[in-house]
């Protein structure tokens, strides 16, 4: 097995060595990469662990950080039912993702071997490798479960002990459509029935033998501390819930807004960017709908048709990043209605390849963003003051949407509570309500209020991740979100502390 060069502990020179292990999803890897950058900017060494294919398709990082970053390429074993070269969720149809989790579980030995050889000070791991916490403890390595979910999502899912020991009294779909008993304040954060029914495997399990809910609970149970993609100004009550139900240190690491990356200089990219800019520059300021559902979500054929006709009915210009399939093994291609592109020529653009989302959202003509409500997309929209229209798909999307709705930051397209269907009329009406009609000011004002919290690079810099301080240092009274990995009196086991 080929591993990257051996790395020793950074304790002798006053710097840390931190290992990051994200789940094999682009929307998970990018927040981990943003946190990696913040750690490296403090002068600490970071080993970012994933498969070769995933690391090779990550955006390029600043050359100034190259000496501090070690991208560790561990081979993904060949296993039954997992297609070849399927290294990420986006390479697979939804029903095949369970086999990627099974394969990832088979990497326990290679992960343990790397951790033992590299001897890091801290391990930050995602929900899928729930087995890493116990491995780190056995090797005397401090560990943090860094979840890219917001505090409201983790708080709603509940105490890890209840799930791990199977004594959670939520045993039917309807139980997840109301706030749980451990939430003592008024809240609308809960799944819709259609969201629960769409992903029963996440609660009950599948061929992998371990449900997503169990993955999350076991990850939280096995770590020393829980790091959350959140901040106290945004959801203080949910951070308090996490402290109460997990009974261990909880550290919000900020919203981790996506930063601009080098897109490469190939001629195809240049031509595409030029054509896109020419079209964008012809539109009226604040009038366009940007439509994208992330790297993993894919609407059904019926949903695709209703979205398309809804966009047409709205009479708003649009830029739609359309994903017709999830990986090469996906045989259920979705297609636009015949004549749609011809009818909307000059009004809308359909793009079926990768686009620089940050550059599009930063353009003044974008008035609203129709999204699946994945949190990275939400943060990117708010940092550019773009109004949010939501159409949830899977995973934590529904809980994200409820919190955004509750705070009047976004509007969800109305759907049937049981079969999740929606109509072209509801799409058109929702888009116009948020982007054109008088009601838009409610959402626009709230997004504007949130911009500084979600998009400020200066504010994110305050999350001084992996900053060293001695055990005798005074604790300052700065914001409660600042996270320190503290070296306590030269002890091999590190402590994480908030100041």
């Amino acid at each position: 097995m080929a591993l990257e060069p051996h790395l020793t502990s950074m304790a002798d020179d006053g710097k840390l060595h931190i290992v990051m292990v994200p789940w094999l999803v682009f929307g998970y890897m990018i927040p981990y990469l943003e946190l990696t950058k913040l750690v490296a900017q403090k002068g600490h060494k970071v080993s970012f662990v994933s498969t070769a294919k995933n690391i090779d398709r990550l955006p390029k990082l600043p050359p100034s950080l190259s000496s501090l970053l070690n991208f560790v390429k561990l081979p993904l074993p060949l296993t039954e039912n997992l297609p070849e070269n399927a290294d990420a969720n986006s390479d697979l149809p939804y029903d095949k993702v369970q086999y990627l989790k099974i394969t990832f579980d088979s990497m326990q030995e290679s992960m343990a071997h790397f951790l033992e050889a590299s001897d890091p000070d801290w391990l930050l791991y995602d929900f899928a490798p729930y087995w890493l916490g116990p491995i780190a403890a056995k090797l005397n390595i401090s560990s943090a479960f860094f979840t890219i979910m917001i505090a409201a999502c983790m708080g709603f899912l509940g105490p890890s002990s209840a799930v791990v020991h199977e004594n959670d009294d939520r045993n039917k779909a309807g139980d997840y459509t109301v706030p749980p008993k451990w939430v003592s304040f008024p809240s609308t954060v809960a799944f819709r029935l259609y969201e629960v029914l769409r992903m029963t495997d996440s609660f009950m399990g599948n061929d992998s033998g371990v449900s997503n809910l169990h993955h999350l609970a076991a990850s939280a149970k096995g770590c020393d501390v829980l790091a959350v993609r959140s901040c106290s100004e945004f959801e203080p009550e949910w951070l308090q819930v996490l402290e109460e139900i997990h009974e261990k240190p909880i550290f919000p690491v900020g919203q981790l807004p996506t930063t601009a990356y080098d897109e490469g200089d190939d001629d195809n990219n240049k031509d595409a960017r030029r054509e896109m800019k020419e079209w964008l520059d012809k539109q009226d300021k604040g009038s366009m709908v940007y439509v994208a559902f992330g790297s993993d979500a894919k609407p059904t054929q019926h949903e695709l048709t209703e979205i398309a006709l809804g966009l047409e009915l709205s009479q708003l210009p649009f830029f739609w990043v359309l994903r017709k399939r999830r990986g090469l093994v996906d045989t259920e291609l979705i297609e636009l209605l015949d004549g749609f592109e011809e009818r909307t020529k000059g009004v809308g653009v359909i793009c079926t390849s990768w686009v620089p989302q940050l550059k599009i959202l930063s353009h003044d003509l974008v008035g609203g963003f129709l999204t699946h409500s994945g949190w990275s997309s939400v943060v990117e929209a708010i940092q550019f003051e773009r109004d949010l229209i939501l159409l949830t798909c899977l995973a934590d999307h529904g809980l994200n949407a409820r919190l955004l709705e509750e705070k009047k930051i976004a509007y969800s397209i109305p759907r049937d509570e049981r079969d999740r269907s929606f109509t072209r009329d509801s799409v058109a009406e929702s888009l116009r309500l948020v982007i054109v009609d008088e009601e838009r000011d409610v959402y626009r004002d709230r997004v504007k209020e949130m911009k500084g919290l979600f998009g400020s690079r200066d504010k994110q810099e305050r999350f001084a991740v992996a900053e060293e301080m001695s055990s005798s240092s005074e604790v300052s009274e700065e914001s409660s979100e600042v996270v320190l990995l503290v070296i306590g009196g030269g002890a091999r086991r590190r402590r994480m502390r908030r100041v």
Side-chain angles (χ1 to χ4, degrees):
M1 177 181 63
L3 290 176
E4 298 297 315
H6 174 80
L7 286 174
T8 57
S9 171
M10 297 293 107
D12 292 341
D13 63 3
K15 296 299 181 181
L16 300 174
H17 174 209
I18 300 167
V19 172
M20 303 271 191
V21 185
W23 169 225
L24 308 178
V25 180
F26 205 68
Y28 286 59
M29 288 185 279
I30 292 300
Y32 265 77
L33 200 60
E34 291 293 344
L35 189 57
T36 293
K37 287 168 60 179
L38 289 171
V39 171
Q41 285 167 5
K42 300 295 179 181
H44 302 281
K45 290 273 189 178
V46 184
S47 292
F48 190 101
V49 183
S50 192
T51 68
K53 183 178 177 181
N54 283 322
I55 286 175
D56 288 344
R57 57 187 173 188
L58 287 174
K60 297 178 183 177
L61 293 183
S64 60
L65 299 179
S66 60
S67 64
L68 296 167
L69 300 181
N70 182 39
F71 287 98
V72 181
K73 299 178 179 180
L74 294 183
L76 190 68
L78 294 175
T79 55
E80 188 179 4
N81 297 319
L82 184 68
E84 191 175 354
N85 295 320
D87 284 42
N89 269 27
S90 55
D91 299 327
L92 295 162
Y94 178 73
D95 62 340
K96 297 289 185 183
V97 171
Q98 58 184 310
Y99 303 116
L100 183 62
K101 288 190 173 75
I102 293 172
T103 303
F104 200 50
D105 286 345
S106 69
M107 295 177 68
Q108 293 183 46
E109 184 177 349
S110 61
M111 290 281 191
H113 179 76
F114 169 73
L115 290 173
E116 186 174 16
S118 57
D119 190 28
D121 299 290
W122 275 88
L123 166 68
L124 273 67
Y125 63 93
D126 213 331
F127 86 101
Y130 61 97
W131 30 263
L132 274 176
I135 290 174
K138 183 178 179 181
L139 296 173
N140 203 31
I141 299 168
S142 292
S143 66
F145 168 35
F146 168 40
T147 172
I148 64 127
M149 290 184 177
I150 59 176
C153 295
M154 287 299 297
F156 177 87
L157 294 176
S160 54
S161 57
V163 177
V164 171
H165 298 300
E166 298 183 351
N167 57 8
D168 187 343
D169 57 9
R170 294 180 294 183
N171 50 33
K172 56 183 183 296
D175 294 336
Y176 291 93
T177 63
V178 294
K181 61 186 179 184
W182 51 83
V183 176
S184 60
F185 50 87
S187 178
T188 58
V189 173
F191 286 108
R192 298 279 189 256
L193 182 60
Y194 60 80
E195 291 165 341
V196 181
L197 296 175
R198 174 70 175 86
M199 52 180 188
T200 54
D201 60 311
S202 291
F203 301 98
M204 306 303 174
N206 46 40
D207 287 356
S208 69
V210 182
S211 69
N212 285 343
L213 187 58
H214 190 281
H215 277 86
L216 286 160
S219 294
K221 188 174 187 295
C223 66
D224 294 318
V225 296
L226 179 57
V228 189
R229 190 182 187 184
S230 183
C231 56
S232 59
E233 290 99 331
F234 184 64
E235 44 177 355
E237 68 280 14
W238 285 104
L239 289 167
Q240 182 63 38
V241 167
L242 289 183
E243 288 189 359
E244 292 169 357
I245 65 177
H246 290 294
E247 299 181 322
K248 62 178 60 182
I250 306 296
F251 296 97
V253 300
Q255 298 296 343
L256 299 174
T258 308
T259 50
Y261 291 97
D262 181 1
E263 298 163 20
D265 296 320
D266 62 280
D267 291 337
N268 289 333
N269 263 351
K270 287 181 179 178
D271 291 343
R273 288 199 300 271
R274 185 181 63 252
E275 291 176 7
M276 179 181 69
K277 186 177 185 305
E278 288 174 355
W279 185 84
L280 290 171
D281 289 342
K282 294 177 183 177
Q283 311 307 317
D284 294 332
K285 182 177 179 180
S287 65
M288 191 188 80
V289 183
Y290 175 57
V291 186
F293 300 109
S295 57
D296 300 302
K298 188 189 84 169
T300 65
Q301 181 61 59
H302 177 72
E303 289 171 342
L304 174 73
T305 298
E306 294 304 306
I307 292 169
L309 295 177
L311 285 168
E312 189 175 7
L313 281 171
S314 76
Q315 298 184 319
L316 295 169
F318 63 86
F319 190 107
W320 189 356
V321 182
L322 175 59
R323 192 149 188 256
K324 295 185 176 184
R325 66 195 303 174
R326 286 180 54 133
L328 297 177
V329 296
D330 187 356
T331 58
E332 296 183 5
L333 272 67
I334 53 175
E335 298 287 353
L336 291 166
L337 290 172
D338 289 343
F340 174 77
E341 290 185 79
E342 185 62 32
R343 292 196 309 272
T344 58
K345 189 174 183 179
V347 176
V349 168
I350 308 289
C351 183
T352 56
S353 60
W354 179 88
V355 300
Q357 180 159 293
L358 280 182
K359 286 197 171 183
I360 294 176
L361 287 172
S362 67
H363 203 288
D364 286 344
L365 76 88
V366 177
F369 182 12
L370 175 54
T371 174
H372 60 314
S373 75
W375 202 250
S376 289
S377 291
V378 168
V379 173
E380 289 172 2
I382 293 176
Q383 73 182 101
F384 293 112
E385 290 186 39
R386 304 305 172 216
D387 298 328
L388 287 158
I389 306 95
L390 309 178
L391 196 62
T392 61
C393 295
L394 291 166
D396 57 343
H397 301 165
L399 300 179
N400 291 343
R402 298 303 97 71
L403 188 66
L404 292 167
E405 294 162 10
E406 188 176 277
K407 293 178 177 290
K408 302 296 184 184
I409 297 172
Y411 181 83
S412 291
I413 293 174
R415 303 170 83 153
D416 184 278
E417 280 296 315
R418 188 160 193 91
D419 67 10
R420 75 192 180 109
S421 64
F422 56 90
T423 67
R424 63 201 70 176
D425 290 322
S426 64
V427 171
E429 290 165 4
S430 299
L431 292 173
R432 294 195 65 83
L433 182 150
V434 176
I435 299 174
V436 179
D437 296 346
E438 291 182 4
E439 290 92 333
R440 72 182 188 276
D441 291 341
V442 174
Y443 303 100
R444 192 154 298 174
D445 290 346
R446 287 294 288 148
V447 168
K448 188 175 294 185
E449 288 175 23
M450 292 291 108
K451 179 182 178 180
L453 186 60
F454 279 62
S456 169
R457 300 308 303 170
D458 291 340
K459 188 170 186 63
Q460 186 62 60
E461 287 295 331
R462 292 169 51 216
F463 293 74
V465 183
E467 189 70 41
E468 176 192 351
M469 63 182 289
S470 70
S471 59
S472 61
S473 298
E474 291 186 7
V475 177
S476 69
E477 295 298 330
E478 293 187 48
S479 170
S480 62
E481 310 105 36
V482 179
V483 177
L484 300 182
L485 297 185
V486 180
I487 300 177
R492 183 64 189 85
R493 294 277 286 173
R494 307 307 192 219
R495 296 185 297 113
M496 183 176 260
R497 182 175 185 178
R498 181 172 62 220
V499 300

